[in-house]
Amino acid sequence: MSAVLSIPAEPYAFDLVPAKCALLIIDMQRDFIEPGGFGEMLGNDVSQLRRTIEPNRLLLAAWRMKGLSVIHTREGHRPDLADLPPAKKIRGRSATCIGDPGPMGRILVRGEEGHDIIPELYPLATEPVIDKPGKGAFWATDLHAILQNRGITQLIVTGVTTEVCVNTTVREANDRGYDCLVPADCVGSYFPEFHEMGLKMIKAQGGIFGWVGDSKSIIAALG
Ligand code: C5J
């Protein structure tokens, strides 16, 4: 495999260096994607996110075949909720909130069924899983240290949701000096218009936060 792969993207081609790039899969958890979890508790139509599963599965398979770095994240809180800001707990004023029992266990709590990653993208034992209490994957986690220890300077960021945890993470990564490529078909939102705008915000102004491409181009380049 060539040391640098040119991936068609916007605002211009992304120079992918596989050995220095990690696939970072954000929050593909049952709580966001399946009925009865946190996403539905907030009043969202969770079926909107299902179209992201197959492109993520294919990209993950191709990335694993090449033996490249994969990192998964999960949003959630300690069972004692000591890391849950009161403001986050009461936000939305819904009848049930984070920590309450639901059909997949306590909502957005570590160790519960709903908190886990969907079976289609389940992490291998060798793939780090970052448990994050916030929207960004860098805040209050050891993600930056793990990436630095592996010599990673680029990220392919996928997962949900485009305008919340994906966007927050891409912005955090950009400020820490990482180049981020977001394959549009591998990220999703409960709101199509937020998805579209979330991607536009990343690639605008010459790629102010990063690049936007698609999974087929990455898979094709990997060969
Ligand atoms: C949200 C996320 N939307 N993973 N989390 O609360 O985007």
Side-chain angles (χ1 to χ4, degrees):
M1 194 173 12
S2 159
V4 183
L5 304 174
S6 181
I7 309 293
E10 291 182 296
Y12 52 87
F14 183 83
D15 288 336
L16 173 66
V17 183
K20 290 183 174 289
C21 186
L23 175 61
L24 181 63
I25 306 178
I26 303 290
D27 301 358
M28 290 295 283
Q29 296 164 252
R30 300 185 63 196
D31 253 326
F32 290 105
I33 292 168
E34 295 185 7
F38 181 62
E40 196 171 78
M41 185 201 87
L42 295 174
N44 297 307
D45 170 13
V46 295
S47 68
Q48 293 275 346
L49 303 185
R50 295 206 70 83
R51 64 156 185 81
T52 64
I53 297 174
E54 188 57 10
N56 265 289
R57 195 184 64 75
L58 295 174
L59 180 58
L60 177 59
W63 204 255
R64 280 175 175 163
M65 281 273 285
K66 295 291 172 186
L68 303 172
S69 263
V70 180
I71 299 180
H72 305 257
T73 73
R74 298 184 295 204
E75 179 179 345
H77 296 276
R78 296 161 46 105
D80 63 9
L81 304 184
D83 62 349
L84 175 61
K88 183 175 179 183
K89 183 167 170 67
I90 61 169
R91 189 77 50 78
R93 297 183 176 170
S94 55
T96 45
C97 58
I98 296 170
D100 287 349
M104 295 189 287
R106 294 177 66 205
I107 291 169
L108 223 59
V109 168
R110 294 178 189 162
E112 301 288 338
E113 269 176 55
H115 177 261
D116 213 352
I117 291 171
I118 58 170
E120 295 89 333
L121 303 177
Y122 209 76
L124 300 178
T126 50
E127 296 169 353
V129 178
I130 306 290
D131 277 325
K132 61 188 184 65
K135 305 304 181 196
F138 287 85
W139 183 70
T141 73
D142 50 10
L143 176 59
H144 190 47
I146 291 172
L147 296 174
Q148 289 200 313
N149 292 340
R150 293 179 170 205
I152 299 293
T153 61
Q154 304 183 330
L155 298 170
I156 293 178
V157 185
T158 75
V160 297
T161 62
T162 314
E163 76 282 12
V164 184
C165 292
V166 171
N167 238 274
T168 308
T169 299
V170 167
R171 290 166 187 232
E172 286 183 329
N174 181 63
D175 280 346
R176 286 164 176 80
Y178 297 95
D179 283 330
C180 295
L181 171 62
V182 179
D185 52 334
C186 292
V187 296
S189 169
Y190 302 118
F191 307 94
E193 67 274 28
F194 291 173
H195 172 75
E196 197 191 325
M197 288 303 155
L199 293 175
K200 279 189 175 165
M201 285 179 198
I202 290 168
K203 68 186 177 188
Q205 302 179 72
I208 195 144
F209 297 122
W211 285 255
V212 176
D214 64 75
S215 63
K216 285 199 175 78
S217 306
I218 301 168
I219 293 169
L222 289 173

